[in-house]
Amino acid sequence: MKCVDSSEVMRLFAGKLSVERAELVNTHFDHCDQCAVLRDEIGAMTSRLQHDPDEFKDEAAALEVMTLIRMGKAEKPEVVPSRFLFWKSWQTWLLVPATAAATAVLMMVLWSPTKQDATDGFQARGAETINLNAWVSLQVFRAGKNGYEPVRDVIAADDALAFSYLNRSDSQLRYLAVFAVDNQGEVFWYYPPNVDAGNSPGSVSVQSGAQPIELPEQVAHHLRIGLLRIFGVFSKDPLSVQFIEAQAGRDFVTSQTVERMTRVSLPDVGQYSLLLRVENEMDREPN
Amino acid sequence: MTESVSIHLVETRAPKTLGDLSDDDLMLLVKADRRDAFEALMRRHQPLVFGIATRFLGDRALGRDVMQDVFLSLWRERGRYKASGRFRSYLVSMTLHRCHMVSRNRKSQDRRVSALARAQEETPHNERLPIDVVVEQERSRGLRRMLLGVPEHHRQVLILRFAEDLGLEEIAEATSLPLGTVKSHLFRGLKTLRKVVQKESSS
Ligand SMILES: [Zn+2]
């Protein structure tokens, strides 16, 4: 056979040659010193990537990790059933007139824009291309001292968040996942709240209707200071947490910042996203 | 400082039997909150994660941060792993995911273990190694720098294949790429790396 070129040797190293061709090339090396030199050169380059067995052994680093774990610093965010707190917060609002006014504002926030969008979606597009995003929305609340407050654009790093959703898809979108992505691309899960053991984690079945419905848990993460985007993804079929996370990861890599990452590329879903600024509790004005 | 650390390590070493368990069996124990099983698992795979991250990022300190972060989230998300005999791919994919994120944001604001970690970084790692090992490490460090001249998605497969000796199928699994794509990334990565190396040695 003819001599091989470096590109073919690299194809061999990359496992791209057919078994027959690889065999031929390997036999050729036995007879042709020139080609064998080429193989050895590329082999030497790749073998330099290998490390001495102890180069990356770091017991001190492992010990630090174990110390954090023993101190309980690596545990999952706490999840508290929030129904009671919701009720309590409503009670507070009823008692305090000023905050009762806030309730009215909140209801308007929940209603008007989505209603408008949904109508636009219907009129502008045919049945097949209806914009599923127009049917759904999400309202974020933070647990404050006086109960729940709707979140507009700022939260504190360790705020417990709770959510209500509006799903006007007439049962077409039956599953919901709520998560946040920060500007390091880390994903934080809110719903399902505790991505947990045996039961395969996935988006959870939700209702649809004309009323906002609250999610049963509040979740606190230790968030990074900076921008955070919260996503509510409503889907026709349950989506696995891992699948969504992988897709969100890819989208983040593409858009590089959460400001630009307004959607997660998922087929056949309605989604709603909200960009928030995470601040230290100290930096926030008391309200 | 170093001595007291190693004494402590001897005391807390997991029982020998744990070391004999498979990754999946250890993860089962970890899911039941067994820290000793987690420690055994970390000991087994820590150099793999550290090695991949350091090569990918071209920076040992960042690689160390990523390694600690990966194991902390492995513990935090211990409930999520499903035993399937593919623990290593799972771990590698977590590592790569982190690496991509870190390389987007080279700011090290994410140093959760910063104080301790910094003290360690200031101690040269290879202090007591024989001279030929040091020379060899310098050589591979040079190559590690050149590796940064290879685009990330090609670089990651080069590292997994040639530095960590993972099989093509396992790389496909860990990167969620089709096998054919892994092969062409490897091919292209090799081509670029060779160019970078040749350029470096001719200048
Ligand atoms: Zn030849």
Side-chain angles (χ1 to χ4, degrees):
Chain A
M1 79 174 260
K2 283 203 297 184
C3 280
V4 295
D5 62 4
S6 59
S7 156
E8 184 150 38
V9 179
M10 282 183 272
R11 259 201 286 275
L12 177 73
F13 271 80
K16 284 189 85 175
L17 293 187
S18 68
V19 181
E20 296 80 15
R21 184 69 192 165
E23 211 164 293
L24 265 180
V25 170
N26 276 320
T27 319
H28 179 78
F29 289 142
D30 294 339
H31 306 293
C32 175
D33 288 345
Q34 215 183 324
C35 290
V37 166
L38 199 60
R39 176 200 57 191
D40 293 345
E41 184 224 318
I42 293 166
M45 179 179 76
T46 58
S47 72
R48 273 174 61 195
L49 282 171
Q50 278 162 15
H51 47 91
D52 118 75
D54 285 339
E55 189 182 350
F56 291 108
K57 208 159 137 195
D58 193 336
E59 301 222 322
L63 185 67
E64 286 166 23
V65 171
M66 285 318 296
T67 306
L68 286 176
I69 287 173
R70 287 204 184 88
M71 287 161 68
K73 299 273 187 200
E75 291 309 320
K76 281 197 172 185
E78 58 175 318
V79 175
V80 185
S82 72
R83 216 160 265 286
F84 173 69
L85 289 165
F86 256 112
W87 183 80
K88 223 175 139 185
S89 71
W90 281 106
Q91 198 183 40
T92 314
W93 279 347
L94 289 174
L95 290 174
V96 184
T99 36
T103 311
V105 174
L106 156 69
M107 292 315 286
M108 282 168 61
V109 168
L110 273 170
W111 286 109
S112 37
T114 27
K115 203 163 195 171
Q116 196 57 48
D117 289 350
T119 319
D120 291 351
F122 266 115
Q123 285 171 349
R125 301 168 185 87
E128 248 116 78
T129 51
I130 278 176
N131 180 9
L132 296 175
N133 299 332
W135 289 350
V136 298
S137 76
L138 197 69
Q139 176 70 48
V140 185
F141 301 83
R142 60 181 289 271
K145 287 189 193 74
N146 307 312
Y148 282 86
E149 305 159 8
V151 169
R152 300 304 301 237
D153 51 14
V154 182
I155 56 172
D158 49 9
D159 266 348
L161 300 184
F163 302 85
S164 73
Y165 65 88
L166 185 62
N167 175 15
R168 311 194 324 130
S169 72
D170 199 20
S171 295
Q172 283 202 52
L173 299 170
R174 295 189 297 134
Y175 297 90
L176 171 61
V178 180
F179 55 95
V181 181
D182 73 8
N183 246 343
Q184 300 237 347
E186 187 167 346
V187 176
F188 300 88
W189 282 93
Y190 289 98
Y191 199 69
N194 231 336
V195 179
D196 209 10
N199 50 6
S200 80
S203 43
V204 187
S205 160
V206 289
Q207 306 161 44
S208 64
Q211 303 284 338
I213 299 166
E214 48 183 87
L215 291 176
E217 278 101 6
Q218 65 165 11
V219 179
H221 288 287
H222 299 287
L223 300 166
R224 289 193 185 88
I225 307 303
L227 291 174
L228 179 85
R229 189 179 284 278
I230 298 208
F231 292 92
V233 171
F234 297 75
S235 54
K236 296 179 178 175
D237 300 302
L239 301 174
S240 86
V241 156
Q242 267 163 318
F243 175 66
I244 295 176
E245 232 182 273
Q247 198 51 52
R250 276 189 282 269
D251 287 333
F252 179 80
V253 167
T254 313
S255 35
Q256 300 197 17
T257 66
V258 289
E259 295 106 286
R260 270 183 280 169
M261 182 184 165
T262 54
R263 291 275 177 265
V264 179
S265 317
L266 295 164
D268 239 8
V269 300
Q271 48 184 313
Y272 181 92
S273 90
L274 178 68
L275 189 64
L276 300 176
R277 207 167 68 246
V278 182
E279 296 183 345
N280 270 325
E281 187 63 65
M282 316 289 180
D283 305 339
R284 280 162 43 92
E285 287 175 44
N287 43 359
Chain B
M1 170 72 200
T2 320
E3 266 176 31
S4 67
V5 165
S6 46
I7 289 166
H8 188 50
L9 281 176
V10 172
E11 285 169 358
T12 57
R13 183 151 295 165
K16 195 176 183 297
T17 47
L18 279 178
D20 301 332
L21 293 178
S22 73
D23 292 343
D24 274 0
D25 288 343
L26 283 173
M27 272 311 278
L28 268 179
L29 294 176
V30 170
K31 281 182 169 188
D33 299 339
R34 282 275 301 269
R35 292 179 195 142
D36 53 348
F38 184 79
E39 194 166 2
L41 203 57
M42 179 161 54
R43 270 173 208 296
R44 187 177 294 171
H45 295 290
Q46 171 263 306
L48 170 76
V49 175
F50 193 4
I52 293 172
T54 300
R55 284 187 172 70
F56 187 91
L57 297 165
D59 181 320
R60 198 179 165 94
L62 278 180
R64 192 180 191 272
D65 281 357
V66 165
M67 183 262 287
Q68 292 189 318
D69 232 358
V70 164
F71 282 104
L72 285 172
S73 34
L74 181 66
W75 172 262
R76 192 168 53 238
E77 306 295 335
R78 57 194 178 277
R80 199 187 287 196
Y81 178 73
K82 283 204 210 101
S84 58
R86 293 186 176 123
F87 177 77
R88 195 162 74 148
S89 310
Y90 179 78
L91 193 63
V92 169
S93 85
M94 279 177 76
T95 309
L96 292 174
H97 179 74
R98 275 262 143 215
C99 286
H100 283 289
M101 295 313 150
V102 170
S103 101
R104 299 284 148 191
N105 278 281
R106 285 239 158 177
K107 297 166 269 164
S108 51
Q109 48 176 255
D110 191 27
R111 300 213 170 165
R112 295 192 184 148
V113 208
S114 50
L116 278 167
R118 226 161 279 143
Q120 287 295 327
E121 280 158 32
E122 279 153 20
T123 320
H125 181 258
N126 47 18
E127 232 169 14
R128 278 151 305 181
L129 291 176
I131 188 70
D132 51 336
V133 174
V134 175
V135 169
E136 186 46 43
Q137 281 193 4
E138 282 311 315
R139 261 165 54 86
S140 54
R141 230 166 257 151
L143 190 68
R144 202 179 297 158
R145 204 184 53 244
M146 293 180 226
L147 205 49
L148 292 177
V150 179
E152 281 183 2
H153 46 299
H154 297 166
R155 192 193 311 156
Q156 66 181 13
V157 294
L158 279 183
I159 293 167
L160 298 184
R161 180 68 200 96
F162 296 115
E164 303 299 345
D165 204 27
L166 263 63
L168 293 170
E169 305 268 356
E170 202 176 359
I171 296 173
E173 210 170 81
T175 54
S176 316
L177 292 170
L179 191 57
T181 311
V182 169
K183 289 177 181 176
S184 65
H185 281 5
L186 257 186
F187 171 65
R188 270 164 224 197
L190 276 171
K191 261 186 130 157
T192 318
L193 183 62
R194 187 159 180 258
K195 261 185 222 149
V196 178
V197 170
Q198 281 173 339
K199 205 173 132 196
E200 192 97 351
S201 47
S202 69
S203 64

